[in-house]
Structure formats: structure tokens, C-alpha cells
């Protein structure tokens, strides 16, 4: 979703702005724009120049005039919320005089009210966006006489909503003012130059020293440094931290797409999620960041997991793991629903928020709702220092590395591994025996190599994907542990290939969806070698009897009369099997999307980080 970049220093800002915006493309957007302050000449004062274009960053680069130069600049990728994607609605937005330029992530909730007042005072609006209100509002306060900082502070006091903003002023070209409230802003510290962005991925090529602003904070950024302060003008000291994500993580590294690269990165991602966390001596997991002692953990009677999209499905696998290993009732719910149903928060329930980005607004709002009512929340998050991670009382970082492709793969797998660690830890302070603990520890250690084995089947899966991709739709079925796998498999297929996909518990087939079964609607069936094997095979028989085609994902070959094709994956411990059964479904979705010529890493209508409601 929307992205922000900013540069101030001795160099020309435009190349960084364009490259930074390209780095943010993965988040999803529909238009882009940049503004720079062109330096004063003998005959003319410093002047703001703005260039915006609907479409890709490449379209913006093509539209950029040759002499679009300035040593201070801001840029934006927009994902439309107020008003259609268009050149006019793209950011930056400016005031009447074209002196103040603003880029904004988030939503100004009282934009209509502010717009009416500003228009009455002579502001001329040229877009349908809520953001344009900010440009006029800041300009109005700038006219009061104070500097840019004061004008931004005064303007933001009148704003209801969420924002991450960067503001440029042609009359103070030595600074950029940024502010954060609910939408991230990170400062990047360079050598006699400074950067800012909504996401570190835009910065890592230039600096590893970053400062994350907190909600309610602003910063004045100059070429030689920065000053952070609060909305009531109190100076705050923020120490820089070092980003440990590799620059290479932001390149496709020879793969055709980020998605394929990230699928193949899963063995390493799982190793990092596990690293230093397995305690073989006591057959448990060592989780330093939970901030809960054994007594507090033993008092937990229930676990509620909250996340959106794939994070929610990973949470379903997590809930299953916690119930099985720790025998604590656990349930996963979409954070987007939870926050709106006035949930009952219980003192002996542990809430766990799941988010790759740590920015998903619905998940953040759910965490805040739990905390407002006195609940305790752990975070299972990939992005260090992200909003959700900071809002939680403790948790586990995934250390999966940056995930660029919109569809989640390695973060999904690492999330489930993190839940396996959590379940093991809970289990061992409840009734999980040392023998079972050892069994899970060994199972987890074996996962990376087993994932590598699944990935070796890529060619076979590619051929199957080419065959199934042209189906009218696909059904995914699984039972108990297999059902969240089916749900995530269907999600992956629909989001990147746009093939309609439905997931059902295999046990529910005859209660409805069997009516859909025909040769045109194939079924992907999860058939693990566990206590439900016979029941799963019976379901396949029911499908075959209706001339449905079946692709089984199983631990041993399924006989030809029950499945047209079978992908055999290595067997783990039964509780961990869902992790491995999911991997072929990622490849299936990927190759189906490629076969259909889809924009795999940036599927239509979707964004990587959904930072609005
Ligand atoms: C968006 C993405 C999904 C993702 C979800 C949650 O909807 O398109 O792929 O699963 O957000 O993202 P998070 O960063 O919170 O895990």
C-alpha cells in the first residue's frame, strides 16, 4: 500500500526518489509522484517542481522532465482510497501557491469538514484526495509566520485520522518535515545526507542506520542531521538502530519473480526462525521475548490468535498446534472482524497477533482493542520495530528476512514454525511429555531439509499447474490439520492466478460442495498419512464417483482410481505435517499464475501491507 520516500543532501534527489519508489512497488500501488525544490538561481527564487503519473514508477520516470533537479525531494506511491487512480489524485499534493508539497500514507477522517473550511478561505482543490487538505492546511498555518515545523504541528492538531507524511517547503529548502501517527516513517542516516521512507526497504541500499519514529512524533530532517519532537513541541531523543536485512533480499537474485525466490528461501527462513530457540536438554523451546514467566504461562486458559489473510490461516495452523501440544483451547480469528464485534477480553486468555509486515491496520487495531480492555498480547511478527511489534507486550520475531512479493510464502511458513515453538514451550510446562517434546524438536530440526526435498519437485508441479490452471475453478479439501492447509492453498491460488478457489473441510463435502464437483472443477486434496487417512480416501472416492479430477498431496502415492495425480511430500511429525503439505501448494499457485501470464508479485487489487481499514 502507499509508500513514502524523501531525500535531502548534496546530491540530486530524483534518482534516489525513483529508486526508492521502485523498492516500495511491492507494497501495491496505482500511481506515483515526486516533488523537488529546484534551487534558487540569480534570477529566480527556489521553486517547487512536481511530477505525477498514474500507473507504474516506470511511467513516472518516463514522464519526468530532463531538468527535474533539486537537493531536497519527496516521493510517493499511491494506492487509491479517496478518489480514483489518476495523475491529479497522485501525490505529492500542493497548496494554491505551489509552495508546500505533501505526501501522505493513511486517512484523514475529517477531510470533508477541513476541506469545506479551507475552501471557504480560498483554497482551490485540484484532487479528490483527503491528502490535499493537508497541503492547504499547512500552507494556511505557514502564513501565520512560524517555520515549517510549527505549521505542520499546528495543522496536524486539527487532523483526525492516521498519517505518515513528508512535507517540503520551497521557502525552507534546507529541511523536510516528517510526521507519524499510525503509519510508519523511518529516517535513514547517511554521510552528510538524510533519507526518510515509510519502509526500510527503500533505504537499505543507502544506509543501514535508521530511526523509527513513534506515533505522535515529528522530525525535521536536514542534510546534516535530524531532530525528533512531539506534537506538543517537546524534543525527544531517538537512537539509531542498525538494519540487519540484506540488500540482496530486495533483488530477485536470478529468480523470475520474488515469489519464486521467497518460496526457495524457506529452508533458510525456517532455520533462522528456529535459530537459538530449541532447547534439546529439556526438550522445549527457549523464547526470550515472551516476557511471561512459567507461572503466568500456566495461568493461561485459552489462546486467541488474530491476523489477516495468510496471517490468519497461519494462525489457524498455530491454534491447532497449541491445542494438540499444550492442550490449551486455541482459536484463530480474522483481526479485521474481531475488532468490530466488541470482543470479550478475558484475563486468562493469551492474545497473539500475527503479521508479517507488523503494519496491517486491522491487526494493529485489534491489538489496541485487546490492550484497551486490559488483555495481554504477544506478537508473531517478521518486521523488527514495526507498529504491531511495538504495541505488543512481548513475542517472537520470525527472522524470515524481508518478504517482497505480495503473496506470503516464507513468512507464512516461518509463522507456523514460530507457533510450533510456542506450542512446544506451552506444552512442556503443561502435560507434553519429554519424549513428545524431543519428537517435536527433532521434527522441527528436520524441516529445512524436508522443505528442500519438496522444492526439488518443482518441475513436476510446474507441469501439473499448466494443466490445472485453465480450470473453471478449484476446490481444496483437507481434514482437521489439513483444513488450514487447504484454506491457505486456495488463498494463494486465487490471489495470484485469479482462478476461483474454495477450501472446504473434506468432512463437509457431502453437506454441500459435492454439488459442484464435475470434470471442470478439479480438487486438490490434502491426504496426510495420519489417523484420518481412510476418511480422506473415502472423500476422494466420492469425488471420483462424480467424475471430479483429483490432485492429491500425500505422504505416499494414492492409487490411480482415487487420484489423477499425486504429489508425495516427506513425512514430518503429524503435528508439523501441515507445514510441508503447504509447500507444493505454493508452487502450484505460482506456476498456475505464470502459466496464465499474471503479474505474480503484484497481483491486481492487492497490497502487501494494508495500512488502512
Ligand atoms: C494483505 C496481503 C496478504 C497478507 C495480509 C496480512 O492482505 O495481501 O497477503 O496475508 O495483508 O499481512 P501481514 O503483513 O499482517 O501479515
Amino acid at each position: 500500500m502507499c509508500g513514502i520516500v524523501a531525500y535531502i543532501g548534496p546530491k540530486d534527489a530524483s534518482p534516489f526518489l525513483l529508486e526508492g519508489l521502485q523498492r516500495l512497488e511491492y507494497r501495491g500501488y496505482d500511481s506515483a509522484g515526486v516533488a523537488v525544490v529546484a534551487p534558487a538561481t540569480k534570477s529566480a527564487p527556489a521553486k517547487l517542481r512536481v511530477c505525477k503519473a498514474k500507473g507504474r514508477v516506470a511511467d513516472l520516470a518516463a514522464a519526468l522532465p530532463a531538468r527535474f533537479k533539486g537537493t531536497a525531494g519527496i516521493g510517493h506511491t499511491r494506492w487509491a482510497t479517496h478518489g480514483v487512480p489518476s495523475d491529479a489524485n497522485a501525490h505529492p499534493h500542493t497548496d494554491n501557491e505551489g509552495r508546500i508539497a505533501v505526501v501522505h500514507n493513511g486517512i484523514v477522517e475529517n477531510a470533508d469538514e477541513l476541506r469545506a473550511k479551507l475552501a471557504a478561505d480560498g483554497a482551490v482543490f485540484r484532487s479528490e484526495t483527503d491528502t490535499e487538505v493537508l497541503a492547504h492546511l499547512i500552507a494556511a498555518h505557514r502564513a501565520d509566520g512560524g517555520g515549517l515545523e510549527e505549521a505542520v504541528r499546528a495543522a496536524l492538531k486539527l487532523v483526525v485520522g492516521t498519517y505518515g507524511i513528508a512535507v517540503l517547503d520551497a521557502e525552507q529548502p534546507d529541511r523536510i518535515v516528517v510526521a507519524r501517527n499510525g503509519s510508519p516513517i523511518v529516517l535513514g542516516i547517511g554521510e552528510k545526507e538524510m533519507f526518510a521512507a515509510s519502509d526500510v526497504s527503500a533505504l537499505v541500499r543507502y544506509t543501514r542506520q535508521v530511526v523509527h519514529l513513534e506515533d505522535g512524533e515529528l522530525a525535521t530532517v536536514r542534510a546534516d542531521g535530524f531532530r525528533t519532537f512531539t506534537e506538543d513541541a517537546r524534543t525527544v531523543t531517538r537512537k539509531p538502530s542498525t538494519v540487519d536485512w540484506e540488500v540482496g533480499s530486495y533483488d530477485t537474485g536470478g529468480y523470475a519473480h520474488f515469489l519464486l525466490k521467497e518460496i526457495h528461501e524457506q529452508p533458510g527462513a525456517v532455520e533462522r526462525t528456529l535459530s537459538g530457540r530449541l532447547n534439546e536438554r529439556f526438550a522445549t523451546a527457549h523464547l526470550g521475548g515472551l516476557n511471561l514467566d512459567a507461572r503466568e504461562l500456566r495461568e493461561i486458559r485459552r489462546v486467541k490468535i488474530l491476523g489477516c489473510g495468510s496471517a490468519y490461516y497461519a494462525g489457524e495452523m498455530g491454534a491447532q498446534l497449541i491445542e494438540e501440544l499444550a492442550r490449551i483451547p486455541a482459536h484463530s480469528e480474522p483481526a479485521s472482524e474481531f475488532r468490530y464485534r466488541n470482543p470479550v477480553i478475558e484475563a486468562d486468555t493469551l492474545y497473539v497477533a500475527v503479521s508479517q509486515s507488523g503494519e496491517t491496520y486491522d491487526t494493529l487495531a485489534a491489538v489496541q482493542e485487546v490492550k484497551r480492555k486490559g488483555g495481554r498480547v504477544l506478537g508473531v511478527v517478521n518486521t523488527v520495530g514495526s507498529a504491531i511489534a511495538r504495541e505488543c507486550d512481548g513475542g517472537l520475531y520470525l527472522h524470515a528476512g524481508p518478504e517482497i512479493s505480495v503473496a506470503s510464502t516464507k513468512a507464512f511458513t516461518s509463522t507456523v514454525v514460530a507457533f510450533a515453538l510456542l506450542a512446544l514451550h506451552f506444552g512442556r510446562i503443561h502435560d507434553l511429555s519429554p519424549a513428545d517434546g524431543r519428537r517435536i524438536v527433532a521434527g522441527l530440526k528436520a524441516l529445512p531439509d524436508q522443505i528442500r526435498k519438496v522444492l526439488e519437485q518443482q518441475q513436476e508441479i510446474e507441469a501439473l499447474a499448466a494443466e490445472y490452471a485453465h480450470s473453471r475453478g478449484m476446490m481444496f479439501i483437507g481434514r482437521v490439520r489439513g483444513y488450514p492447509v487447504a484454506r491457505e492453498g486456495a488463498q494463494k491460488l486465487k490471489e495470484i492466478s485469479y482462478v476461483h478457489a474454495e477450501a472446504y473441510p473434506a468432512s463437509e463435502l457431502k453437506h454441500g460442495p459435492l454439488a459442484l464437483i464435475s470434470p471442470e472443477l478439479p480438487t486438490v486434496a490434502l491426504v496426510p498419512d495420519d489417523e484420518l487417512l481412510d476418511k480422506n480416501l473415502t472423500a476422494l472416492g466420492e469425488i471420483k464417483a462424480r467424475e471430479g479430477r483429483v490432485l492429491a498431496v500425500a505422504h505416499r502415492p494414492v492409487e490411480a482410481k482415487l487420484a489423477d495425480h499425486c504429489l508425495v511430500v516427506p513425512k514430518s511429525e503429524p503435528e508439523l505435517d501441515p507445514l510441508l503439505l503447504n509447500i507444493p501448494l505454493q508452487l502450484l499457485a505460482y506456476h498456475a499464475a505464470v502459466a496464465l501470464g499474471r503479474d505474480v508479485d503484484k497481483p491486481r487489487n492487492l497490497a502487501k501491507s494494508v495500512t488502512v481499514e
Side-chain angles (χ1 to χ4, degrees):
M1 204 154 264
C2 306
I4 289 176
V5 289
Y7 172 86
I8 188 157
K11 299 186 201 125
D12 178 22
S14 306
F16 163 76
L17 297 178
L18 289 176
E19 207 213 282
L21 291 180
Q22 254 156 22
R23 299 268 157 196
L24 297 179
E25 283 192 300
Y26 77 96
R27 301 168 62 90
Y29 70 106
D30 45 48
S31 50
V34 285
V36 294
V37 182
T41 58
K42 271 186 202 138
S43 53
K47 190 167 167 287
L48 201 66
R49 299 192 67 187
V50 180
C51 183
K52 317 196 279 189
K54 184 184 160 187
R56 296 287 175 202
V57 175
D59 300 316
L60 173 70
L64 213 62
R67 291 211 306 279
F68 194 86
K69 288 196 189 325
T71 50
I74 57 178
H76 192 258
T77 46
R78 171 174 188 253
W79 194 84
T81 55
H82 290 61
V84 295
S86 68
D87 291 0
N89 285 337
H91 302 204
H93 291 287
T94 55
D95 63 319
N96 282 8
E97 273 78 51
R99 169 183 158 185
I100 302 283
V102 179
V103 290
H104 166 225
N105 290 352
I107 290 182
V108 179
E109 284 164 19
N110 57 341
D112 290 345
E113 188 191 316
L114 291 170
R115 191 181 291 112
K117 276 192 207 145
L118 287 159
D121 291 340
V124 180
F125 284 87
R126 282 161 294 191
S127 77
E128 304 157 276
T129 66
D130 53 338
T131 301
E132 192 181 348
V133 161
L134 293 173
H136 291 289
L137 204 55
I138 293 167
H141 285 280
R142 193 73 176 82
D144 292 345
L148 182 62
E149 289 90 336
E150 284 70 40
V152 174
R153 244 176 10 88
L156 291 180
K157 279 202 174 139
L158 304 174
V159 167
V160 180
T162 55
Y163 48 80
I165 56 168
V167 188
L168 206 55
D169 180 346
E171 286 189 16
Q172 286 193 310
D174 63 337
R175 71 197 64 184
I176 293 169
V177 174
V178 295
R180 166 190 172 132
N181 183 38
S183 203
I185 292 286
V186 193
L187 311 183
I189 303 167
E191 279 286 313
K192 298 197 181 70
E193 58 186 356
M194 283 285 299
F195 308 87
S198 52
D199 182 329
V200 286
S201 59
L203 305 178
V204 282
R205 199 157 254 255
Y206 301 88
T207 177
R208 295 298 184 87
Q209 293 296 302
V210 301
V211 173
H212 293 271
L213 289 195
E214 299 279 347
D215 277 347
E217 281 180 8
L218 299 88
T220 307
V221 184
R222 297 169 190 262
D224 57 359
F226 66 97
R227 182 177 82 86
T228 40
F229 52 100
T230 62
E231 278 168 4
D232 47 18
R234 224 168 9 90
T235 299
V236 282
T237 317
R238 289 256 157 262
K239 280 219 190 90
S241 56
T242 307
V243 182
D244 59 1
W245 286 359
E246 295 300 321
V247 179
S249 308
Y250 300 95
D251 295 317
T252 48
Y255 286 91
H257 297 96
F258 279 108
L259 189 70
L260 187 61
K261 179 182 176 224
E262 287 159 7
I263 289 173
H264 281 271
E265 281 173 346
Q266 290 180 109
V270 169
E271 274 158 13
R272 285 195 301 279
T273 307
L274 292 175
S275 175
R277 286 170 166 167
L278 289 175
N279 179 335
E280 306 210 31
R281 182 156 169 239
F282 294 106
T284 185
H286 170 72
L287 301 173
L290 296 188
N291 298 333
L292 290 167
D293 61 29
R295 190 183 51 79
E296 289 172 303
L297 282 174
R298 266 192 295 272
E299 283 167 4
I300 291 163
R301 292 282 162 269
R302 220 183 301 276
V303 177
K304 166 72 86 179
I305 301 166
L306 302 164
C308 297
S310 290
Y312 157 53
Y313 298 132
E316 289 200 311
M317 289 192 191
Q320 180 74 31
L321 277 158
I322 291 169
E323 285 213 358
E324 285 200 65
L325 297 180
R327 304 303 296 154
I328 302 173
H331 184 245
S332 179
E333 181 177 339
S336 48
E337 288 284 288
F338 175 86
R339 55 179 290 225
Y340 283 115
R341 61 173 185 81
N342 192 17
V344 176
I345 303 300
E346 296 164 308
D348 54 5
T349 295
L350 178 69
Y351 296 85
V352 185
V354 182
S355 178
Q356 184 287 125
S357 61
E359 280 180 40
T360 302
Y361 189 73
D362 282 323
T363 310
L364 179 63
V367 172
Q368 288 164 342
E369 177 73 9
V370 174
K371 294 198 72 184
R372 195 175 301 119
K373 294 178 172 174
R376 195 159 34 190
V377 197
L378 293 185
V380 175
V381 173
N382 195 29
T383 308
V384 175
S386 56
I388 292 170
R390 283 184 296 172
E391 193 78 33
C392 289
D393 301 299
L396 285 87
Y397 279 120
L398 301 178
H399 303 302
E403 193 177 66
I404 307 296
S405 192
V406 166
S408 183
T409 52
K410 65 174 180 174
F412 179 92
T413 299
S414 281
T415 301
V416 183
V417 169
F419 272 115
L421 289 168
L422 200 59
L424 175 64
H425 187 68
F426 279 175
R428 291 289 292 124
I429 55 173
H430 284 90
D431 292 328
L432 190 74
S433 69
D436 274 331
R438 276 193 294 277
R439 186 171 65 73
I440 298 300
V441 169
L444 286 168
K445 282 172 66 179
L447 281 175
D449 278 339
Q450 290 180 308
I451 295 175
R452 284 185 189 102
K453 286 245 151 48
V454 181
L455 297 177
E456 283 167 15
Q457 299 175 56
Q458 180 162 329
Q459 273 189 333
E460 186 186 348
I461 299 172
E462 184 176 357
L464 287 173
E467 190 175 330
Y468 284 96
H470 301 278
S471 312
R472 179 161 56 85
M474 280 184 99
M475 183 79 81
F476 286 72
I477 59 166
R479 243 186 164 95
V480 187
R481 293 184 197 114
Y483 179 49
V485 184
R487 297 194 80 183
E488 170 59 12
Q491 161 97 346
K492 224 38 354 115
L493 184 71
K494 74 181 109 179
E495 62 183 343
I496 59 171
S497 76
Y498 321 149
V499 173
H500 176 70
E502 273 206 66
Y504 257 93
S507 54
E508 281 286 300
L509 260 188
K510 54 187 170 300
H511 299 298
L514 209 49
L516 290 173
I517 297 298
S518 73
E520 290 80 48
L521 189 101
T523 300
V524 175
L526 284 317
V527 193
D529 201 355
D530 63 9
E531 62 280 9
L532 295 169
L533 178 62
D534 289 344
K535 294 198 183 302
N536 278 322
L537 294 175
T538 305
L540 298 194
E542 289 168 1
I543 295 168
K544 290 308 295 174
R546 274 89 188 167
E547 292 179 29
R549 280 190 296 153
V550 172
L551 165 58
V553 180
H555 289 135
R556 45 182 149 130
V558 173
E559 45 181 331
K561 68 174 193 251
L562 292 180
D564 302 79
H565 300 102
C566 182
L567 288 166
V568 176
V569 300
K571 175 100 187 74
S572 177
E573 295 304 324
E575 298 89 338
L576 303 174
D577 277 333
L579 271 161
L580 293 172
L581 293 166
N582 180 52
I583 311 284
L585 304 192
Q586 299 173 337
L587 284 170
L588 186 73
Y590 170 76
H591 286 293
V594 172
L596 294 169
R598 309 298 191 218
D599 191 352
V600 177
D601 286 328
K602 296 182 218 100
R604 69 182 180 201
N605 308 338
L606 298 180
K608 182 71 178 160
S609 299
V610 183
T611 50
V612 294
E613 284 190 62

